[in-house]
């Protein structure tokens, strides 16, 4: 793809997260749109759970005029890739660690359940300070939770997570890492 | 499980949908709770998508005081069973046919995409008139859509769908039918 200034951006791969007012959520939605459009995967962000209290009925519409945000009991993203069930939560942090309080007890249990059911689950964390995005598998999160830790250090992500290279399109190509995880699974089964 | 009148209901299997004020959605939620509790599958109903317009911030809470229901772009239920991605929509009808207008264009496309991505997708339709619940695979729905039909007759469900026997627990054991579908897939791969 050619840009007005003549720079071909298509093959530029960089690991920095150059913030152009886009949030992690925006980038993931763009990525998922790309996956869907190119028949790679069907992964969607779930709607935010809302408790509707009062509604008004009109001839052709309904207006909600009292409602509350509910605590999510599952993760934000799920879908299908190569027949496999994929499930993850995405979070941004300005700190040099990931506070486990960013995931509620239901979400942690949910991520674990997905593994038990043969699915693939993980978290994607954007460390804004380092302009880096990591994918960390659920087993690592549970290790920290079970050790009664309150957070996971950035260094741990560096050593045990997967750095996701940022591209022009798809922006956050996390399925490349899922491929790697799936390869590992096949390897384990073989042996 | 024993009941006050001494009847053991646990093994009673019947195909009639004895309405006790429970909706199909209630019964599916109960079924999914059972699956989750017994480590069989992790399948959830997605929250209803709502467009939030106005909110008020308080010290410890946020109140939404203007919002609208959005048209769903995917199906209501999805999750994981035996590592596989499962996706379906559930509908009730009083008619002796299933009006295809019950599924919007996005939902039909979504059901088809799931198949393309190697997942399992279907609809569960409760024919209240006959007190019967059927599971019909997406391929059949697409056949009717592509033939420009406006509905699928009850008789078609009888001949090409799977009747789901209603039990005490799990109430609507649709995964028994998914097992059958998965068996078929394995058979196709072998041959």
């Amino acid at each position: 793809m050619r840009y007005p200034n003549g720079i071909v951006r298509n093959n530029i791969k960089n690991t920095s997260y150059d913030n152009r007012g886009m949030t992690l959520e925006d980038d993931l939605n763009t990525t998922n749109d790309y996956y869907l459009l190119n028949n790679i995967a069907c992964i969607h962000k779930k709607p935010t759970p809302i408790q509707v209290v009062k509604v008004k009925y009109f001839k052709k519409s309904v207006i909600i005029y009292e409602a509350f945000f509910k605590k999510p009991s599952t993760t934000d993203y799920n879908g299908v890739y190569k027949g496999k069930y994929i499930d993850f939560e995405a979070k941004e942090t300005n700190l040099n660690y990931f506070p486990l309080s960013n995931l509620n007890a239901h979400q942690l249990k949910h991520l674990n359940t997905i593994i038990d059911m043969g699915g693939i689950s993980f978290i994607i964390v954007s460390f804004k300070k380092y302009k880096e995005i990591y994918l960390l598998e659920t087993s690592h999160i549970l290790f920290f939770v079970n050790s009664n830790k309150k957070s996971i250090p950035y260094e741990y992500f560096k050593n045990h997570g997967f750095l996701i290279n940022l591209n022009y399109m798809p922006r956050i190509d996390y399925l490349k890492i899922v491929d790697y995880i799936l390869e590992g699974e096949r390897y384990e089964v073989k042996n």
Side-chain angles (χ1 to χ4, degrees), chain A:
Chain A
M1 188 173 282
R2 234 160 228 290
Y3 275 74
N5 55 4
I7 295 170
V8 179
R9 281 209 61 172
N10 210 16
N11 294 313
I12 296 176
K13 288 185 183 184
N14 67 317
T15 55
S16 79
Y17 190 41
D18 54 323
N19 201 321
R20 301 162 305 176
M22 295 276 277
T23 62
L24 177 64
E25 185 183 322
D26 291 331
D27 279 343
L28 283 170
N29 288 344
T30 309
T31 302
N32 289 336
D33 286 348
Y34 176 90
Y35 288 151
L36 189 61
L37 218 67
N38 291 277
N39 288 313
I40 296 164
C42 179
I43 295 164
H44 286 279
K45 186 175 187 294
K46 284 187 207 166
T48 309
I50 288 171
Q51 178 73 49
V52 175
V53 182
K54 287 176 189 164
V55 292
K56 267 183 197 158
Y57 292 90
F58 294 92
K59 257 193 183 167
K60 289 202 169 184
S61 67
V62 184
I63 295 181
I64 300 160
Y65 69 98
E66 192 182 325
F68 300 91
F69 292 104
K70 282 198 287 186
K71 213 162 126 179
S73 61
T74 64
T75 50
D76 268 357
Y77 300 87
N78 76 352
V80 58
Y81 175 55
K82 294 180 178 174
K84 273 272 185 179
Y85 178 82
I86 308 293
D87 195 299
F88 65 95
E89 185 66 28
K91 296 285 179 192
E92 288 180 294
T93 182
N94 289 311
L95 307 163
N96 60 353
Y97 55 87
F98 174 72
L100 284 165
S101 57
N102 276 355
L103 302 168
N104 71 46
H106 279 112
Q107 289 177 320
L108 285 168
K109 203 181 164 196
H110 177 75
L111 287 166
N112 192 20
T113 302
I114 298 311
I115 303 292
D116 286 348
M117 298 294 141
I120 305 276
S121 75
F122 49 85
I123 55 168
I124 290 177
V125 178
S126 166
F127 286 95
K128 291 165 91 174
K129 206 170 171 171
Y130 304 101
K131 297 181 175 176
E132 284 174 356
I133 298 175
Y134 287 91
L135 183 155
L136 189 68
E137 289 177 87
T138 296
S139 57
H140 295 281
I141 309 161
L142 296 176
F143 169 73
F144 275 82
V145 172
N146 294 336
S147 313
N148 287 317
K149 303 284 183 194
K150 294 265 175 278
S151 64
I152 306 175
Y154 163 74
E155 286 298 324
Y156 191 89
F157 280 83
K158 247 180 126 68
N159 295 327
H160 300 276
F162 296 93
L163 179 68
I164 309 177
N165 286 316
L166 295 183
N167 303 320
Y168 173 64
M169 201 70 98
R171 187 93 183 110
I172 302 176
D173 195 5
Y174 62 88
L175 287 181
K176 212 177 250 177
I177 290 155
V178 171
D179 272 333
Y180 190 81
I181 296 169
L182 288 171
E183 271 303 317
E185 273 192 0
R186 268 196 289 280
Y187 187 77
E188 275 170 31
V189 171
K190 270 186 196 160
N191 291 274

